Amino acid sequence: MVSILFFIKRKKLLKDGAASIFVRVTFNRLSAEVTTGRSVMPSHWVATKGRAKGNTLVNKQTNSFLDQMEYTLHDLTLQIQREGKQVSAKEILDRYKYLNAPKPKTGILALYAEHNQELKELVDISVALATYKRHETSLKLFHEFLLYKYQVEDVDISEIDVEMLQKYQHYLMTVRHNSNNTTVKYIRNLGKILKLAVSRKLITASPTEELKLKMEPVDKGFLTQEELTRLANKDFNIVRLEQVRDVFLFCCYTGLAYIDVYSLSINDITEENGRLWIRKSRYKTNVMYHVPILKPAKEILDKYASLSHKEGKLLPVLSNQKMNAYLKEIAGIVGISKDLTTHLASHSKFFYLLNISELSILKNVTANDLETSYILFLSQLCNIQRTL
């Protein structure tokens, strides 16, 4: 059993003549003692009770504090026993001191920066560079919001509640003019940091769980056969535009995302039964992708086969930002009113396959998520059955 004794040291008084109150915890005949942080006039202390005479408001408050402290010490003893750990007087008092110590404040942006640094160290190991950049953008945006709304550089994680997140949501949609889906993504990114705070016991629950966040369905669009042909047949006098157009068309003909074409090398090309195939894992999902190289795609690879590209890459692929900027210029030249981006290319490929009656190709078609892949598979299957 644990024994708890409150006492004073009458020979060591404070400047005002009061004596500090100590607590001694004894367990299995071993003791440890600390000051309680409270004091009492020696003449008001009843040693046999371990309490002050309750005839003044101050003494009543002191006794109430000592009662609560004794209860907490007993509770901590039971807690240690339930954990199956060794109980000692020192361990009981150490836990009490930790329980009552002021907790250092942790700013949401400080924790986010720590999280991002860890992501950065894992880039190209287990984390995609795009993931790291996405969280860096999210950190920057929440910082801008705090400056805009509260004129502060950071806030303690415990201060973030549903109301603040709703104001952040409003800020993203009105000040930054982000769409609903973009706004939801940024808040979910922040939610990951709040969940990290929960796991570290900095907060008890993430306020994002109380927000009603819903992604709205978006028509991703695609190029029609006529638009694709018009783009392919266009002659460009500027080399950079011609190269960007060719890389875009290659994405259309293979269904590969920009990042997968960017990293495409000779090691990703295999030959099976006289036909060339691209066999590589998708950068975003790490799912194996197995797709035939159709004639138009093969012609593009042959066109750039004699050129030397960085790190053994097969095509002269620029950065995604430059690609999209040049694609907008190309769209204007060719007369395509749609928003031409590298993302649109992977959707155009599926329209291209609609007139190809080869189930061997169809079975290898996959999108970035299972639901989209399933829909695309069914739509193509229905079209093939109509054409057979």
Side-chain angles (χ1 to χ4, degrees), residues 8 14 29 32 74 105 125 152-153 175 180 186 209 217 253 310 316 338 349:
I8 63 172
L14 303 174
R29 298 183 180 182
H74 279 294
K105 290 189 174 184
I125 299 176
V152 295
E153 291 287 342
V175 178
N180 172 78
Y186 284 137
E209 296 175 1
Y253 298 145
K310 186 179 178 182
K338 294 171 183 174
K349 179 255 186 173

Side-chain angles (χ1 to χ4, degrees), residues 223-234:
L223 290 186
T224 64
Q225 182 69 59
E226 187 274 329
E227 289 170 328
L228 199 62
T229 302
R230 195 192 325 161
L231 182 62
N233 293 337
K234 178 66 179 178

Side-chain angles (χ1 to χ4, degrees), residues 45-323:
W45 184 252
V46 181
T48 55
K49 294 183 179 181
R51 298 290 189 275
K53 294 177 182 178
N55 54 358
T56 66
L57 176 61
V58 173
N59 286 351
K60 287 179 180 179
Q61 290 174 338
T62 297
N63 287 341
S64 177
F65 173 82
L66 297 178
D67 289 341
Q68 182 60 44
M69 184 176 184
E70 184 172 4
Y71 172 83
T72 302
L73 290 170
H74 279 294
D75 189 56
L76 289 171
T77 304
L78 294 175
Q79 186 182 101
I80 297 170
Q81 290 173 332
R82 283 194 297 268
E83 293 172 2
K85 296 181 179 178
Q86 182 88 27
V87 180
S88 68
K90 182 177 182 303
E91 176 66 16
I92 295 169
L93 287 177
D94 283 347
R95 291 208 179 193
Y96 181 82
K97 284 189 284 186
Y98 176 78
L99 196 67
N100 291 275
K103 303 296 186 295
K105 290 189 174 184
T106 303
I108 180 67
L109 296 184
L111 185 60
Y112 212 151
E114 178 188 338
H115 166 271
N116 288 1
Q117 179 59 35
E118 292 178 357
L119 279 187
K120 185 178 181 180
E121 293 168 2
L122 291 171
V123 168
D124 292 333
I125 299 176
S126 59
V127 172
L129 177 61
T131 301
Y132 163 70
K133 289 184 176 180
R134 184 174 72 247
H135 279 285
E136 278 288 279
T137 301
S138 292
L139 185 156
K140 175 176 172 287
L141 289 178
F142 196 68
H143 181 217
E144 290 176 356
F145 162 72
L146 292 178
L147 289 173
Y148 176 84
K149 190 68 179 178
Y150 303 101
Q151 295 78 52
V152 295
E153 291 287 342
D154 201 354
V155 292
D156 186 67
I157 290 176
S158 61
E159 296 179 27
I160 298 178
D161 53 18
V162 176
E163 182 181 355
M164 182 180 289
L165 291 181
Q166 288 173 336
K167 289 179 179 178
Y168 181 45
Q169 183 179 21
H170 183 266
Y171 167 82
L172 290 173
M173 300 185 78
T174 58
V175 178
R176 291 195 55 84
H177 307 291
N178 290 133
S179 67
N180 172 78
N181 289 1
T182 301
T183 298
V184 169
K185 289 176 182 178
Y186 284 137
I187 294 177
R188 285 178 177 172
N189 288 342
L190 186 66
K192 183 180 179 182
I193 307 307
L194 291 170
K195 287 181 179 178
L196 177 61
V198 172
S199 70
R200 294 191 182 183
K201 295 182 171 51
L202 299 174
I203 53 177
T204 56
S206 171
T208 54
E209 296 175 1
E210 299 179 47
L211 278 182
K212 294 181 179 179
L213 301 174
K214 187 177 181 181
M215 298 287 282
E216 296 175 350
V218 177
D219 181 7
K220 297 177 181 178
F222 57 86
L223 290 186
T224 64
Q225 182 69 59
E226 187 274 329
E227 289 170 328
L228 199 62
T229 302
R230 195 192 325 161
L231 182 62
N233 293 337
K234 178 66 179 178
D235 291 325
F236 290 95
N237 296 322
I238 303 174
V239 175
R240 63 174 170 80
L241 293 183
E242 182 181 1
Q243 290 180 342
V244 168
R245 184 274 312 272
D246 290 342
V247 171
F248 177 84
L249 288 175
F250 188 82
C251 290
C252 293
Y253 298 145
T254 62
L256 288 176
Y258 158 81
I259 189 62
D260 295 314
V261 172
Y262 180 85
S263 60
L264 189 67
S265 71
I266 190 64
N267 296 327
D268 301 316
I269 308 299
T270 62
E271 185 174 349
E272 298 177 19
N273 300 322
R275 166 176 268 169
L276 292 179
W277 293 73
I278 296 174
R279 184 172 177 80
K280 75 190 304 283
S281 59
R282 282 184 176 273
Y283 189 80
K284 181 177 180 180
T285 63
N286 205 33
V287 174
M288 207 63 188
Y289 187 81
H290 193 199
V291 66
I293 300 178
L294 305 176
K295 183 180 177 181
K298 177 67 166 56
E299 289 173 351
I300 293 174
L301 288 179
D302 292 342
K303 180 177 179 179
Y304 296 98
S306 61
L307 300 180
S308 177
H309 304 300
K310 186 179 178 182
E311 299 175 0
K313 296 173 183 176
L314 294 180
L315 294 171
V317 187
L318 303 177
S319 70
N320 195 32
Q321 184 177 11
K322 287 184 178 179
M323 281 281 294

